[in-house]
């Protein structure tokens, strides 16, 4: 089994395409140390922030890393925001997430199959 068996590891397109915005309460603080590191976000308004690098979209998230051996990975995976936690390759009914599929195909990657 390859270390790149997870389709996200060969792609990372969502982390390079979308603005990753979320409620500022998810940012690490004295009361919530497991949150997204403050130095990795940009304030959007009084209640929302986004990951640095994604402010305008079509640019990689500051937390995205890539190596030829490991592929694409989130450098703060355990601390990632709810918007990242909720974006999956497949929907709850097993169908392929259409946004994920569109980005994969645009990058010339193999289309994903629905889960059985």
């Amino acid at each position: 089994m390859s270390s790149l068996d997870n389709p996200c590891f060969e792609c990372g397109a969502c982390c390079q395409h979308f603005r990753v915005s979320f409620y500022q309460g998810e940012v690490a603080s004295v009361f919530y140390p497991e949150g997204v590191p403050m130095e990795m976000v940009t304030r959007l308004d009084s209640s929302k922030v986004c990951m640095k690098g994604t402010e305008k979209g079509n640019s990689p998230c500051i937390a995205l890393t890539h190596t030829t051996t490991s592929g694409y990975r989130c450098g703060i995976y355990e601390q990632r925001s709810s918007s990242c936690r909720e974006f999956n390759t497949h929907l709850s009914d097993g169908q392929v997430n259409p946004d994920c599929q569109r980005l994969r195909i645009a990058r010339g990657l193999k289309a994903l199959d629905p889960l059985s």
Side-chain angles (χ1 to χ4, degrees), residues 61-73:
C61 174
I62 190 172
L64 183 65
T65 64
H66 181 265
T67 68
T68 54
T69 54
S70 296
Y72 291 96
R73 304 292 172 109

Side-chain angles (χ1 to χ4, degrees), residues 12-111:
C14 57
C15 304
Q16 299 176 68
H17 179 78
F18 297 115
R19 181 177 81 176
V20 182
S21 57
F22 49 96
Y23 174 61
Q24 61 89 27
E26 295 184 54
V27 176
S29 68
V30 172
F31 304 107
Y32 186 58
E34 65 273 16
V36 177
M38 183 178 294
E39 64 274 10
M40 295 185 129
V41 301
T42 298
R43 181 167 294 286
L44 296 173
D45 61 31
S46 62
S47 64
K48 287 225 165 196
V49 296
C50 72
M51 292 301 294
K52 285 186 178 178
T54 72
E55 293 90 340
K56 295 181 181 181
N58 290 314
S59 186
C61 174
I62 190 172
L64 183 65
T65 64
H66 181 265
T67 68
T68 54
T69 54
S70 296
Y72 291 96
R73 304 292 172 109
C74 177
I76 60 165
Y77 188 79
E78 293 301 321
Q79 295 172 277
R80 71 194 188 283
S81 71
S82 59
S83 54
C84 297
R85 290 174 191 276
E86 293 167 4
F87 190 89
N88 293 300
T89 58
H90 292 81
L91 304 175
S92 60
D93 65 359
Q95 294 301 307
V96 177
N97 177 332
D99 291 325
C100 175
Q101 192 81 296
R102 177 177 51 84
L103 292 173
R104 288 182 60 81
I105 291 169
R107 291 177 154 283
L109 296 171
K110 178 184 175 292

